[in-house]
PDB file of all heavy atoms in Angstrom:
ATOM      1  N   ILE A 566      -8.279   3.813   0.631  1.00 92.00           N
ATOM      2  CA  ILE A 566      -7.144   3.627   1.541  1.00 92.00           C
ATOM      3  C   ILE A 566      -7.582   2.902   2.810  1.00 92.00           C
ATOM      4  O   ILE A 566      -6.920   1.964   3.273  1.00 92.00           O
ATOM      5  CB  ILE A 566      -6.485   4.982   1.870  1.00 92.00           C
ATOM      6  CG1 ILE A 566      -5.781   5.543   0.638  1.00 92.00           C
ATOM      7  CG2 ILE A 566      -5.491   4.840   3.016  1.00 92.00           C
ATOM      8  CD1 ILE A 566      -5.356   6.984   0.769  1.00 92.00           C
ATOM      9  N   VAL A 567      -8.700   3.326   3.384  1.00 94.00           N
ATOM     10  CA  VAL A 567      -9.210   2.668   4.595  1.00 94.00           C
ATOM     11  C   VAL A 567      -9.574   1.216   4.302  1.00 94.00           C
ATOM     12  O   VAL A 567      -9.261   0.312   5.096  1.00 94.00           O
ATOM     13  CB  VAL A 567     -10.414   3.451   5.175  1.00 94.00           C
ATOM     14  CG1 VAL A 567     -11.130   2.660   6.248  1.00 94.00           C
ATOM     15  CG2 VAL A 567      -9.962   4.794   5.720  1.00 94.00           C
ATOM     16  N   SER A 568     -10.215   0.970   3.176  1.00 95.00           N
ATOM     17  CA  SER A 568     -10.608  -0.396   2.813  1.00 95.00           C
ATOM     18  C   SER A 568      -9.393  -1.306   2.658  1.00 95.00           C
ATOM     19  O   SER A 568      -9.392  -2.433   3.152  1.00 95.00           O
ATOM     20  CB  SER A 568     -11.416  -0.394   1.521  1.00 95.00           C
ATOM     21  OG  SER A 568     -12.587   0.357   1.671  1.00 95.00           O
ATOM     22  N   VAL A 569      -8.368  -0.818   1.976  1.00 94.00           N
ATOM     23  CA  VAL A 569      -7.159  -1.621   1.791  1.00 94.00           C
ATOM     24  C   VAL A 569      -6.500  -1.904   3.138  1.00 94.00           C
ATOM     25  O   VAL A 569      -6.074  -3.036   3.407  1.00 94.00           O
ATOM     26  CB  VAL A 569      -6.177  -0.921   0.821  1.00 94.00           C
ATOM     27  CG1 VAL A 569      -4.809  -1.584   0.848  1.00 94.00           C
ATOM     28  CG2 VAL A 569      -6.729  -0.924  -0.582  1.00 94.00           C
ATOM     29  N   ASN A 570      -6.434  -0.898   4.013  1.00 91.00           N
ATOM     30  CA  ASN A 570      -5.831  -1.102   5.331  1.00 91.00           C
ATOM     31  C   ASN A 570      -6.638  -2.064   6.182  1.00 91.00           C
ATOM     32  O   ASN A 570      -6.072  -2.829   6.963  1.00 91.00           O
ATOM     33  CB  ASN A 570      -5.663   0.236   6.063  1.00 91.00           C
ATOM     34  CG  ASN A 570      -4.427   0.959   5.616  1.00 91.00           C
ATOM     35  OD1 ASN A 570      -3.322   0.468   5.763  1.00 91.00           O
ATOM     36  ND2 ASN A 570      -4.610   2.138   5.046  1.00 91.00           N
ATOM     37  N   CYS A 571      -7.956  -2.040   6.063  1.00 93.00           N
ATOM     38  CA  CYS A 571      -8.798  -2.982   6.808  1.00 93.00           C
ATOM     39  C   CYS A 571      -8.690  -4.393   6.236  1.00 93.00           C
ATOM     40  O   CYS A 571      -8.749  -5.380   6.980  1.00 93.00           O
ATOM     41  CB  CYS A 571     -10.261  -2.526   6.785  1.00 93.00           C
ATOM     42  SG  CYS A 571     -10.575  -1.070   7.779  1.00 93.00           S
ATOM     43  N   PHE A 572      -8.526  -4.500   4.943  1.00 92.00           N
ATOM     44  CA  PHE A 572      -8.470  -5.800   4.276  1.00 92.00           C
ATOM     45  C   PHE A 572      -7.176  -6.538   4.589  1.00 92.00           C
ATOM     46  O   PHE A 572      -7.188  -7.707   4.946  1.00 92.00           O
ATOM     47  CB  PHE A 572      -8.639  -5.614   2.762  1.00 92.00           C
ATOM     48  CG  PHE A 572      -8.543  -6.881   1.981  1.00 92.00           C
ATOM     49  CD1 PHE A 572      -9.549  -7.843   2.063  1.00 92.00           C
ATOM     50  CD2 PHE A 572      -7.458  -7.125   1.168  1.00 92.00           C
ATOM     51  CE1 PHE A 572      -9.454  -9.022   1.348  1.00 92.00           C
ATOM     52  CE2 PHE A 572      -7.355  -8.300   0.447  1.00 92.00           C
ATOM     53  CZ  PHE A 572      -8.354  -9.256   0.539  1.00 92.00           C
ATOM     54  N   SER A 573      -6.042  -5.851   4.445  1.00 91.00           N
ATOM     55  CA  SER A 573      -4.753  -6.516   4.627  1.00 91.00           C
ATOM     56  C   SER A 573      -3.655  -5.495   4.898  1.00 91.00           C
ATOM     57  O   SER A 573      -3.410  -4.607   4.083  1.00 91.00           O
ATOM     58  CB  SER A 573      -4.404  -7.320   3.374  1.00 91.00           C
ATOM     59  OG  SER A 573      -3.075  -7.775   3.432  1.00 91.00           O
ATOM     60  N   VAL A 574      -2.972  -5.671   6.022  1.00 86.00           N
ATOM     61  CA  VAL A 574      -1.849  -4.785   6.353  1.00 86.00           C
ATOM     62  C   VAL A 574      -0.700  -5.025   5.381  1.00 86.00           C
ATOM     63  O   VAL A 574      -0.031  -4.090   4.963  1.00 86.00           O
ATOM     64  CB  VAL A 574      -1.403  -5.001   7.814  1.00 86.00           C
ATOM     65  CG1 VAL A 574      -0.144  -4.216   8.123  1.00 86.00           C
ATOM     66  CG2 VAL A 574      -2.504  -4.605   8.770  1.00 86.00           C
ATOM     67  N   ARG A 575      -0.506  -6.278   4.997  1.00 89.00           N
ATOM     68  CA  ARG A 575       0.571  -6.603   4.055  1.00 89.00           C
ATOM     69  C   ARG A 575       0.324  -5.936   2.700  1.00 89.00           C
ATOM     70  O   ARG A 575       1.228  -5.379   2.084  1.00 89.00           O
ATOM     71  CB  ARG A 575       0.690  -8.110   3.888  1.00 89.00           C
ATOM     72  CG  ARG A 575       1.826  -8.493   2.936  1.00 89.00           C
ATOM     73  CD  ARG A 575       2.126  -9.932   3.032  1.00 89.00           C
ATOM     74  NE  ARG A 575       2.733 -10.124   4.347  1.00 89.00           N
ATOM     75  CZ  ARG A 575       3.215 -11.263   4.798  1.00 89.00           C
ATOM     76  NH1 ARG A 575       3.141 -12.328   4.053  1.00 89.00           N
ATOM     77  NH2 ARG A 575       3.760 -11.355   5.978  1.00 89.00           N
ATOM     78  N   LEU A 576      -0.915  -5.972   2.213  1.00 92.00           N
ATOM     79  CA  LEU A 576      -1.265  -5.318   0.953  1.00 92.00           C
ATOM     80  C   LEU A 576      -1.086  -3.810   1.070  1.00 92.00           C
ATOM     81  O   LEU A 576      -0.575  -3.158   0.157  1.00 92.00           O
ATOM     82  CB  LEU A 576      -2.703  -5.652   0.544  1.00 92.00           C
ATOM     83  CG  LEU A 576      -3.221  -4.988  -0.733  1.00 92.00           C
ATOM     84  CD1 LEU A 576      -2.373  -5.386  -1.935  1.00 92.00           C
ATOM     85  CD2 LEU A 576      -4.683  -5.324  -0.945  1.00 92.00           C
ATOM     86  N   ALA A 577      -1.486  -3.247   2.209  1.00 90.00           N
ATOM     87  CA  ALA A 577      -1.318  -1.808   2.431  1.00 90.00           C
ATOM     88  C   ALA A 577       0.158  -1.425   2.412  1.00 90.00           C
ATOM     89  O   ALA A 577       0.536  -0.401   1.835  1.00 90.00           O
ATOM     90  CB  ALA A 577      -1.963  -1.404   3.757  1.00 90.00           C
ATOM     91  N   THR A 578       0.995  -2.261   3.024  1.00 87.00           N
ATOM     92  CA  THR A 578       2.442  -2.000   3.017  1.00 87.00           C
ATOM     93  C   THR A 578       2.998  -2.080   1.600  1.00 87.00           C
ATOM     94  O   THR A 578       3.795  -1.234   1.187  1.00 87.00           O
ATOM     95  CB  THR A 578       3.166  -3.019   3.916  1.00 87.00           C
ATOM     96  OG1 THR A 578       2.629  -2.914   5.230  1.00 87.00           O
ATOM     97  CG2 THR A 578       4.655  -2.765   3.961  1.00 87.00           C
ATOM     98  N   TYR A 579       2.568  -3.087   0.847  1.00 92.00           N
ATOM     99  CA  TYR A 579       3.007  -3.232  -0.535  1.00 92.00           C
ATOM    100  C   TYR A 579       2.599  -2.016  -1.369  1.00 92.00           C
ATOM    101  O   TYR A 579       3.402  -1.458  -2.118  1.00 92.00           O
ATOM    102  CB  TYR A 579       2.426  -4.509  -1.144  1.00 92.00           C
ATOM    103  CG  TYR A 579       2.670  -4.622  -2.622  1.00 92.00           C
ATOM    104  CD1 TYR A 579       3.920  -4.973  -3.124  1.00 92.00           C
ATOM    105  CD2 TYR A 579       1.651  -4.339  -3.538  1.00 92.00           C
ATOM    106  CE1 TYR A 579       4.148  -5.055  -4.489  1.00 92.00           C
ATOM    107  CE2 TYR A 579       1.873  -4.424  -4.903  1.00 92.00           C
ATOM    108  CZ  TYR A 579       3.117  -4.780  -5.367  1.00 92.00           C
ATOM    109  OH  TYR A 579       3.341  -4.847  -6.708  1.00 92.00           O
ATOM    110  N   LEU A 580       1.336  -1.597  -1.234  1.00 92.00           N
ATOM    111  CA  LEU A 580       0.856  -0.432  -1.991  1.00 92.00           C
ATOM    112  C   LEU A 580       1.593   0.840  -1.578  1.00 92.00           C
ATOM    113  O   LEU A 580       1.915   1.678  -2.425  1.00 92.00           O
ATOM    114  CB  LEU A 580      -0.648  -0.263  -1.805  1.00 92.00           C
ATOM    115  CG  LEU A 580      -1.507  -1.243  -2.592  1.00 92.00           C
ATOM    116  CD1 LEU A 580      -2.975  -1.068  -2.237  1.00 92.00           C
ATOM    117  CD2 LEU A 580      -1.302  -1.061  -4.076  1.00 92.00           C
ATOM    118  N   GLN A 581       1.846   1.001  -0.289  1.00 89.00           N
ATOM    119  CA  GLN A 581       2.571   2.187   0.174  1.00 89.00           C
ATOM    120  C   GLN A 581       3.981   2.210  -0.418  1.00 89.00           C
ATOM    121  O   GLN A 581       4.445   3.257  -0.874  1.00 89.00           O
ATOM    122  CB  GLN A 581       2.633   2.215   1.691  1.00 89.00           C
ATOM    123  CG  GLN A 581       3.290   3.459   2.234  1.00 89.00           C
ATOM    124  CD  GLN A 581       3.233   3.541   3.750  1.00 89.00           C
ATOM    125  OE1 GLN A 581       2.728   2.643   4.411  1.00 89.00           O
ATOM    126  NE2 GLN A 581       3.745   4.609   4.294  1.00 89.00           N
ATOM    127  N   ASN A 582       4.659   1.070  -0.414  1.00 91.00           N
ATOM    128  CA  ASN A 582       6.001   1.003  -1.007  1.00 91.00           C
ATOM    129  C   ASN A 582       5.952   1.270  -2.510  1.00 91.00           C
ATOM    130  O   ASN A 582       6.808   1.987  -3.051  1.00 91.00           O
ATOM    131  CB  ASN A 582       6.639  -0.353  -0.732  1.00 91.00           C
ATOM    132  CG  ASN A 582       7.002  -0.525   0.727  1.00 91.00           C
ATOM    133  OD1 ASN A 582       7.145   0.442   1.462  1.00 91.00           O
ATOM    134  ND2 ASN A 582       7.145  -1.769   1.147  1.00 91.00           N
ATOM    135  N   PHE A 583       4.954   0.709  -3.194  1.00 94.00           N
ATOM    136  CA  PHE A 583       4.802   0.926  -4.629  1.00 94.00           C
ATOM    137  C   PHE A 583       4.584   2.406  -4.938  1.00 94.00           C
ATOM    138  O   PHE A 583       5.244   2.972  -5.814  1.00 94.00           O
ATOM    139  CB  PHE A 583       3.641   0.088  -5.177  1.00 94.00           C
ATOM    140  CG  PHE A 583       3.334   0.383  -6.614  1.00 94.00           C
ATOM    141  CD1 PHE A 583       4.111  -0.159  -7.624  1.00 94.00           C
ATOM    142  CD2 PHE A 583       2.275   1.217  -6.950  1.00 94.00           C
ATOM    143  CE1 PHE A 583       3.842   0.124  -8.957  1.00 94.00           C
ATOM    144  CE2 PHE A 583       1.995   1.496  -8.280  1.00 94.00           C
ATOM    145  CZ  PHE A 583       2.778   0.952  -9.281  1.00 94.00           C
ATOM    146  N   PHE A 584       3.664   3.044  -4.225  1.00 90.00           N
ATOM    147  CA  PHE A 584       3.365   4.446  -4.498  1.00 90.00           C
ATOM    148  C   PHE A 584       4.509   5.375  -4.076  1.00 90.00           C
ATOM    149  O   PHE A 584       4.719   6.416  -4.695  1.00 90.00           O
ATOM    150  CB  PHE A 584       2.048   4.868  -3.851  1.00 90.00           C
ATOM    151  CG  PHE A 584       0.843   4.375  -4.601  1.00 90.00           C
ATOM    152  CD1 PHE A 584      -0.073   3.531  -4.003  1.00 90.00           C
ATOM    153  CD2 PHE A 584       0.636   4.736  -5.923  1.00 90.00           C
ATOM    154  CE1 PHE A 584      -1.180   3.066  -4.706  1.00 90.00           C
ATOM    155  CE2 PHE A 584      -0.459   4.278  -6.635  1.00 90.00           C
ATOM    156  CZ  PHE A 584      -1.365   3.436  -6.025  1.00 90.00           C
ATOM    157  N   THR A 585       5.263   4.990  -3.061  1.00 89.00           N
ATOM    158  CA  THR A 585       6.438   5.777  -2.695  1.00 89.00           C
ATOM    159  C   THR A 585       7.484   5.704  -3.810  1.00 89.00           C
ATOM    160  O   THR A 585       8.063   6.726  -4.190  1.00 89.00           O
ATOM    161  CB  THR A 585       7.041   5.280  -1.363  1.00 89.00           C
ATOM    162  OG1 THR A 585       6.072   5.439  -0.330  1.00 89.00           O
ATOM    163  CG2 THR A 585       8.299   6.057  -1.004  1.00 89.00           C
ATOM    164  N   ALA A 586       7.706   4.510  -4.347  1.00 94.00           N
ATOM    165  CA  ALA A 586       8.644   4.369  -5.466  1.00 94.00           C
ATOM    166  C   ALA A 586       8.149   5.129  -6.686  1.00 94.00           C
ATOM    167  O   ALA A 586       8.938   5.804  -7.374  1.00 94.00           O
ATOM    168  CB  ALA A 586       8.838   2.890  -5.799  1.00 94.00           C
ATOM    169  N   ALA A 587       6.839   5.063  -6.956  1.00 94.00           N
ATOM    170  CA  ALA A 587       6.273   5.799  -8.089  1.00 94.00           C
ATOM    171  C   ALA A 587       6.445   7.305  -7.892  1.00 94.00           C
ATOM    172  O   ALA A 587       6.779   8.029  -8.837  1.00 94.00           O
ATOM    173  CB  ALA A 587       4.795   5.449  -8.262  1.00 94.00           C
ATOM    174  N   LYS A 588       6.223   7.778  -6.666  1.00 91.00           N
ATOM    175  CA  LYS A 588       6.381   9.205  -6.384  1.00 91.00           C
ATOM    176  C   LYS A 588       7.830   9.644  -6.586  1.00 91.00           C
ATOM    177  O   LYS A 588       8.099  10.685  -7.189  1.00 91.00           O
ATOM    178  CB  LYS A 588       5.945   9.487  -4.942  1.00 91.00           C
ATOM    179  CG  LYS A 588       5.888  10.953  -4.607  1.00 91.00           C
ATOM    180  CD  LYS A 588       5.619  11.224  -3.135  1.00 91.00           C
ATOM    181  CE  LYS A 588       4.557  10.375  -2.529  1.00 91.00           C
ATOM    182  NZ  LYS A 588       4.316  10.682  -1.105  1.00 91.00           N
ATOM    183  N   LEU A 589       8.780   8.834  -6.116  1.00 93.00           N
ATOM    184  CA  LEU A 589      10.193   9.174  -6.311  1.00 93.00           C
ATOM    185  C   LEU A 589      10.579   9.117  -7.788  1.00 93.00           C
ATOM    186  O   LEU A 589      11.402   9.912  -8.246  1.00 93.00           O
ATOM    187  CB  LEU A 589      11.081   8.249  -5.479  1.00 93.00           C
ATOM    188  CG  LEU A 589      11.044   8.507  -3.974  1.00 93.00           C
ATOM    189  CD1 LEU A 589      11.834   7.438  -3.231  1.00 93.00           C
ATOM    190  CD2 LEU A 589      11.586   9.893  -3.646  1.00 93.00           C
TER     191      LEU A 589
END
């Protein structure tokens, strides 16, 4: 999680949205 956030905020946002949809 830290690596993804350090690498790209846009990628982190995409992953967060993806995992939120998966959780729902």
Side-chain angles (χ1 to χ4, degrees):
I566 291 168
V567 169
S568 299
V569 168
N570 278 299
C571 289
F572 178 70
S573 170
V574 173
R575 181 167 291 184
L576 178 60
T578 302
Y579 172 76
L580 284 175
Q581 184 175 2
N582 290 339
F583 174 79
F584 283 119
T585 298
K588 188 187 316 181
L589 288 174

